[in-house]
């Protein structure tokens, strides 16, 4: 691990992010954090916590928040659930290192809205897409209301990104926004 290089890169990325108005950086790359065969999950957790502990103050200097994104087991073999992501964030214990809830990954991992209720205090960003094909809300008809209700109960009032594919953007995007707004309204937003 070339920690000096990693921290220098992060510092420059955070500086550029701040200069362009970006205040949230997602740490979600499955390829960058996947464990090789035989590498200990416990050792990976220690290394990840150590890295995030050093990234927190650098992010703070640039008014950037790094959010840890749990990914579904089909895409990555490290930090797959909100519980696992929350454990890391709590161990780091820095206000610029937070948690992301991606409803697509949660659905793929069969997580329930209870995970959001347990860790809502750590959330700083969310993503949404439908489970089957990572389509936009409303395309397949997934019901996100239980998750949205949990977010509302947790006091979540930040951004939600549509992290999905679109077949025909000019048709699906407006329909998706209508469907998502309806579900958000039903969830109390």
């Amino acid at each position: 691990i070339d920690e000096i290089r990693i921290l220098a890169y992060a510092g420059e990325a955070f500086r550029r992010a701040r200069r362009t108005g970006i205040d949230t950086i997602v740490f979600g790359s499955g390829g960058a954090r996947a464990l090789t065969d035989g590498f200990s999950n416990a050792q990976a957790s220690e290394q990840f916590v150590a890295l995030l502990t050093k990234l927190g103050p650098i992010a703070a200097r640039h008014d950037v928040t790094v959010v840890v994104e749990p990914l579904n087991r089909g895409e990555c073999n490290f930090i797959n659930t909100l519980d696992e992501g929350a454990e890391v964030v709590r161990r780091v214990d820095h206000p610029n290192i937070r948690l992301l809830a991606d409803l697509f990954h949660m659905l793929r991992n069969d997580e329930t809205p209870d995970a959001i209720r347990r860790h809502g205090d750590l959330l700083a960003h969310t993503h949404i897409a439908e489970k089957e094909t990572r389509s936009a809300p409303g395309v397949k008809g997934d019901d996100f209301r239980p998750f949205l209700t949990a977010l509302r109960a947790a006091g979540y009032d930040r951004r939600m990104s549509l992290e999905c594919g679109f077949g025909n953007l000019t048709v699906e995007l407006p329909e998706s926004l209508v469907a998502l707004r309806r579900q958000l309204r039903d969830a109390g937003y």
Side-chain angles (χ1 to χ4, degrees):
I1 298 172
D2 188 345
E3 188 174 278
I4 293 170
R5 186 172 169 218
I6 291 169
L7 296 177
Y9 175 85
E12 183 62 18
F14 297 162
R15 184 188 67 74
R16 289 177 180 175
R18 176 62 179 170
R19 203 168 86 208
T20 59
I22 295 169
D23 62 5
T24 304
I25 306 264
V26 176
F27 199 149
S29 174
R33 70 171 196 230
L35 306 185
T36 58
D37 288 339
F39 197 87
S40 158
N41 194 296
Q43 184 179 357
S45 291
E46 291 304 317
Q47 288 179 353
F48 198 58
V49 167
L51 174 62
L52 290 172
T53 299
K54 291 176 180 161
L55 288 178
I58 299 169
R61 279 197 299 275
H62 297 286
D63 295 319
V64 171
T65 299
V66 175
V67 290
V68 176
E69 179 181 23
L71 302 173
N72 75 75
R73 291 176 186 92
E75 293 183 22
C76 188
N77 62 356
F78 181 61
I79 306 179
N80 301 114
T81 65
L82 228 51
D83 287 340
E84 293 167 352
E87 179 184 343
V88 166
V89 171
R90 288 191 200 287
R91 286 178 58 201
V92 172
D93 192 27
H94 192 282
N96 291 75
I97 305 296
R98 308 313 289 163
L99 186 62
L100 182 154
D102 187 316
L103 304 188
F104 166 77
H105 293 295
M106 291 182 73
L107 288 166
R108 283 283 177 106
N109 284 332
D110 295 320
E111 287 185 87
T112 68
D114 289 333
I116 291 170
R117 289 184 186 92
R118 283 191 300 277
H119 309 298
D121 62 312
L122 300 176
L123 293 177
H125 192 57
T126 57
H127 290 164
I128 190 167
E130 293 184 321
K131 179 181 179 179
E132 185 183 337
T133 60
R134 205 178 214 146
S135 51
V139 172
K140 299 283 185 181
D142 287 9
D143 183 5
F144 296 105
R145 287 175 188 93
F147 292 91
L148 299 172
T149 299
L151 286 167
R152 178 74 174 127
Y156 185 79
D157 63 354
R158 299 177 128 199
R159 284 178 235 148
M160 176 175 283
S161 297
L162 297 174
E163 191 184 46
C164 54
F166 288 97
N168 181 336
L169 183 64
T170 57
V171 172
E172 288 181 8
L173 180 58
E175 291 174 356
S176 175
L177 293 175
V178 167
L180 182 54
R181 285 180 180 131
R182 182 180 316 115
Q183 290 194 37
L184 284 163
R185 187 176 51 250
D186 292 348
Y189 278 100

